[in-house]
Amino acid sequence: MKKAGMNATGLRKLLIFIFILTLAGVGAGFYYGLTQIREYAIETNQKVADAEASGTQIDELRQLQTTLSQSDSLIAKADDMFATNSNYQSQAITDLRRYASAAGVSIQSTDFTEPDNAPAALNNRTVSVGLGGSVTYTKLIRFLELVEGNLPKMQPISLTVSRPDDPTENTVTVSDITINIATR
């Protein structure tokens, strides 16, 4: 009788089958692991690209914020260049009195004239300023310099200067000064 069991040839065949099965399992595991690593690498690269893009966007936003801050100061300066139609008279009187005081001259009268209906005249208002008595030439020039450097923009457009009947030093008599006031 033959004993039921395994002989060397059967054992060898079984071991070869197990070995091939193990190699197939290792290959399948390696392929699955490699697939997972590739997916993780792609995800990581996308996150790095997103981080760089958001970093660039943050830098661009900061640059934009700086530009806007500078623009705000420019807008404020531009607003200072023009008086509004509602407040130009009070602002002009205040500024002219301040400049007259700084220059050492006195203002006797101010007269605002209404603009013509021409579109260019709507953005400019005029005021006639009468200085009191004779003034020295240097004080007159200083007053005019202060007026021209004013914000909102004012510009003398006409005046007549003459010598008084009894001149002393460098005194002059000035007719009414017509000044343009820029408005918006």
Side-chain angles (χ1 to χ4, degrees):
M1 274 201 89
K2 211 171 180 188
K3 250 181 163 177
M6 214 180 259
N7 60 15
T9 311
L11 181 63
R12 185 177 72 184
K13 287 180 183 178
L14 179 67
L15 287 177
I16 289 174
F17 176 75
I18 291 174
F19 182 70
I20 290 174
L21 193 60
T22 304
L23 280 178
V26 167
F30 180 77
Y31 180 75
Y32 177 75
L34 185 62
T35 304
Q36 293 296 318
I37 289 174
R38 281 184 183 156
E39 288 175 6
Y40 183 72
I42 290 170
E43 183 181 330
T44 302
N45 284 339
Q46 287 175 345
K47 287 183 180 180
V48 167
D50 290 345
E52 288 175 359
S54 67
T56 303
Q57 287 175 345
I58 289 172
D59 290 342
E60 289 173 356
L61 287 174
R62 285 186 183 142
Q63 220 172 15
L64 182 60
Q65 185 178 16
T66 303
T67 303
L68 285 175
S69 297
Q70 292 170 349
S71 296
D72 288 343
S73 67
L74 291 176
I75 289 170
K77 287 179 183 178
D79 284 342
D80 288 344
M81 289 185 70
F82 299 98
T84 61
N85 285 325
S86 62
N87 76 345
Y88 79 95
Q89 289 183 352
S90 62
Q91 187 171 1
I93 289 172
T94 304
D95 291 346
L96 289 170
R97 285 184 182 158
R98 185 177 64 222
Y99 295 145
S101 175
V105 298
S106 63
I107 295 177
Q108 295 298 318
S109 65
T110 54
D111 181 33
F112 291 91
T113 57
E114 288 299 317
D116 299 334
N117 288 334
L122 293 177
N123 292 333
N124 288 316
R125 305 288 191 221
T126 57
V127 61
S128 293
V129 177
L131 299 181
S134 297
V135 296
T136 63
Y137 184 73
T138 54
K139 289 179 181 180
L140 174 65
I141 295 298
R142 178 68 182 142
F143 175 71
L144 294 174
E145 285 174 343
L146 291 171
V147 168
E148 285 183 339
N150 186 53
L151 288 178
K153 188 67 181 153
M154 291 194 291
Q155 182 178 9
I157 55 172
S158 72
L159 71 127
T160 305
V161 178
S162 61
R163 294 288 281 171
D165 294 335
D166 56 345
T168 57
E169 298 179 14
N170 63 353
T171 58
V172 292
T173 303
V174 181
S175 66
D176 285 353
I177 303 170
T178 305
I179 300 172
N180 257 354
I181 303 168
T183 60
R184 58 180 152 104

